[in-house]
Amino acid sequence: MDAKATERELQSLMIEGLGGDAVAYKTLLSKLSGYLRAYFRGRLARMGRGTVDAEDLVQEALIGIHTRRHTYDPSQPFTPWAYAIARYKLLDHLRRTKVSIKDLPIEGAEELIAHDDLSDAESAFDLQRLLDRISPKMRQAIQYVKLDGLSVSEAAARSGMSESAIKVSVHRGMKALALLISKGRST
Amino acid sequence: MKTSQFIELLSSDLQPIRRGVVGRTLALALLIGGAAAFGLMLVTVGLRPDLFEGASSTLLAVKLPFTVSLIGIGTLFLIAASHPGRNARRRLALAFLPFLAIASLALGAILLATPMAREDMVFGPEWLTCVICIPLFAIVPFATLIWVLHLAAPTDLRRAGAGAGLVAAALGATAYAFHCPGDSLPFIAVWYGLPILFWTFLGAILGPRLLRW
């Protein structure tokens, strides 16, 4: 797809997302994460930095895009807006990690097991530690439905909660986690 | 955490976004900051006694055009700086124009004056109060503008901070102008110009510390 078509697609997804369309928004973030990953890996590699931090950066940029989405003006193109945020997060990261340039050998090993750009790479951000900070009921519901991949009825059977209670717990838990993430990272 | 899980988190419970939030908060910040500066002027130095007896001509002809144009240019810059991907640099560079204008006017006035009168033109009445009050009046506006930028997404923190300092000091100078007894052009150029430049540089220094996100 050429750049213009991509821009049109991302922009319309963003506008739907701003209107509250969670499906469009999720699609947008998934597509963006691929571009962001390629961008950060490319830049880090070109600067002789290891690309292990790329996934942290992808998620930092996604948080930035998410928590600052009210600064996107739908009358303007979307790509320059997202790029400016990605670039800001990269520069911020480079400033913060100036001291660790010497850690080159470790990165060599990491490169071998690095996923490719379309794979579902993992950041150093610890989901388990976040889960410990929400209520046990929410934690269990998220563990079953979101992490173990059980259906709502299976999760209900296993935990002894009703199906609607599972749904509510997952919903509230995800909201609480999202809040923890934006608090912990964006300030 | 896997990025797919992460995206799931961010897109769960998505709230619709109201348009124009940044513009509205910026307007509110200017209003609160400006009112605070003006109120501070009233309770500390007070209005110039002869303000309504013909002394307002310099205020309207020189002081306010200078400070208000800086507020305007600086505000346009802050709007651009709050929105990633917009070219904000050029807008901040425009702020040189009012400085250039007041400096040329001041220079002209000095050249035309007799050597005896020159020192009095610069070190006019209450010049010290002027350099103390303007930066002081700028503190609340600076805080409110930093709050706006903090809610927005500045990507050039140094410039964004400088812009906030510029607008805050220009608001402080606008408030002080209603007290200011100094009416010569060189007086305004020096004792208004310097505090505003001071806050612009201070803002540039504070920006990266205060605005990281």
Side-chain angles (χ1 to χ4, degrees), chain A residues 105-144:
Chain A
I106 304 164
E107 287 150 6
E110 291 283 350
E111 288 285 349
L112 281 176
I113 52 162
H115 305 271
D116 76 354
D117 287 11
L118 294 168
S119 73
D120 194 8
E122 203 146 340
S123 75
F125 209 50
D126 195 344
L127 183 58
Q128 213 54 51
R129 270 184 25 215
L130 276 184
L131 282 172
D132 288 345
R133 292 170 62 185
I134 64 175
S135 83
K137 210 164 116 187
M138 293 183 199
R139 191 189 315 146
Q140 195 181 33
I142 287 179
Q143 183 70 45
Y144 285 158

Side-chain angles (χ1 to χ4, degrees), chain B residues 144-171:
Chain B
T144 60
L145 291 171
I146 287 295
W147 166 70
V148 172
L149 288 170
H150 203 76
L151 295 174
T155 50
D156 186 343
L157 305 186
R158 207 165 280 289
R159 268 200 186 73
L166 175 80
V167 175
L171 279 168

Side-chain angles (χ1 to χ4, degrees), chain A:
Chain A
M1 206 175 346
D2 64 288
K4 267 187 190 165
T6 310
E7 158 64 30
R8 268 200 303 277
E9 189 196 10
L10 295 179
Q11 189 186 33
S12 70
L13 287 172
M14 179 66 173
I15 291 169
E16 284 161 40
L18 289 177
D21 183 338
V23 179
Y25 191 64
K26 198 175 154 185
T27 313
L28 173 75
L29 293 186
S30 308
K31 284 179 186 289
L32 273 179
S33 68
Y35 294 119
L36 289 169
R37 190 171 298 120
Y39 170 70
F40 289 132
R41 288 197 176 173
R43 286 300 155 119
L44 289 173
R46 243 171 49 186
M47 272 173 275
R49 299 287 194 100
T51 53
V52 277
D53 296 334
E55 208 55 34
D56 286 0
L57 268 172
V58 169
Q59 294 182 9
E60 293 249 2
L62 288 175
I63 292 176
I65 284 166
H66 178 69
T67 57
R68 299 300 197 274
R69 65 191 190 280
H70 59 278
T71 67
Y72 172 65
D73 176 355
S75 68
Q76 304 282 321
F78 174 75
T79 317
W81 179 82
Y83 172 69
I85 291 178
R87 185 175 172 277
Y88 170 72
K89 289 294 177 185
L90 177 64
L91 290 175
D92 185 59
H93 171 79
L94 292 175
R95 261 194 299 270
R96 265 186 298 131
T97 55
K98 234 180 237 170
V99 278
S100 61
I101 300 174
K102 292 167 191 159
D103 309 339
L104 259 171
I106 304 164
E107 287 150 6
E110 291 283 350
E111 288 285 349
L112 281 176
I113 52 162
H115 305 271
D116 76 354
D117 287 11
L118 294 168
S119 73
D120 194 8
E122 203 146 340
S123 75
F125 209 50
D126 195 344
L127 183 58
Q128 213 54 51
R129 270 184 25 215
L130 276 184
L131 282 172
D132 288 345
R133 292 170 62 185
I134 64 175
S135 83
K137 210 164 116 187
M138 293 183 199
R139 191 189 315 146
Q140 195 181 33
I142 287 179
Q143 183 70 45
Y144 285 158
V145 177
K146 294 290 179 187
L147 302 181
D148 300 345
L150 298 182
S151 70
V152 173
S153 55
E154 285 169 334
R158 196 177 291 189
S159 63
M161 295 199 286
S162 72
E163 285 190 23
S164 62
I166 289 281
K167 278 185 195 161
V168 169
S169 295
V170 169
H171 181 72
R172 287 197 186 145
M174 294 297 260
K175 207 172 152 182
L177 286 177
L179 202 68
L180 285 175
I181 291 168
S182 356
K183 266 192 201 157
R185 288 259 193 114
S186 66
T187 53

Side-chain angles (χ1 to χ4, degrees), chain B residues 37-118:
Chain B
F38 200 79
L40 203 58
M41 182 275 294
L42 287 178
V43 298
T44 53
V45 289
L47 288 175
R48 181 172 166 167
D50 55 353
L51 187 67
F52 302 108
E53 295 152 27
S56 54
S57 60
T58 337
L59 177 72
L60 292 175
V62 186
K63 291 174 188 167
L64 290 187
F66 176 55
T67 58
V68 172
S69 65
L70 286 176
I71 295 172
I73 292 167
T75 301
L76 288 178
F77 162 77
L78 289 178
I79 292 172
S82 300
H83 296 85
R86 290 201 197 165
N87 189 356
R89 285 185 180 205
R90 250 180 306 167
R91 295 197 185 185
L92 191 60
L94 276 181
F96 280 110
L97 290 178
F99 281 104
L100 195 70
I102 195 94
S104 348
L105 286 173
L107 202 66
I110 284 189
L111 290 175
L112 288 173
T114 59
M116 290 281 284
R118 282 176 190 162

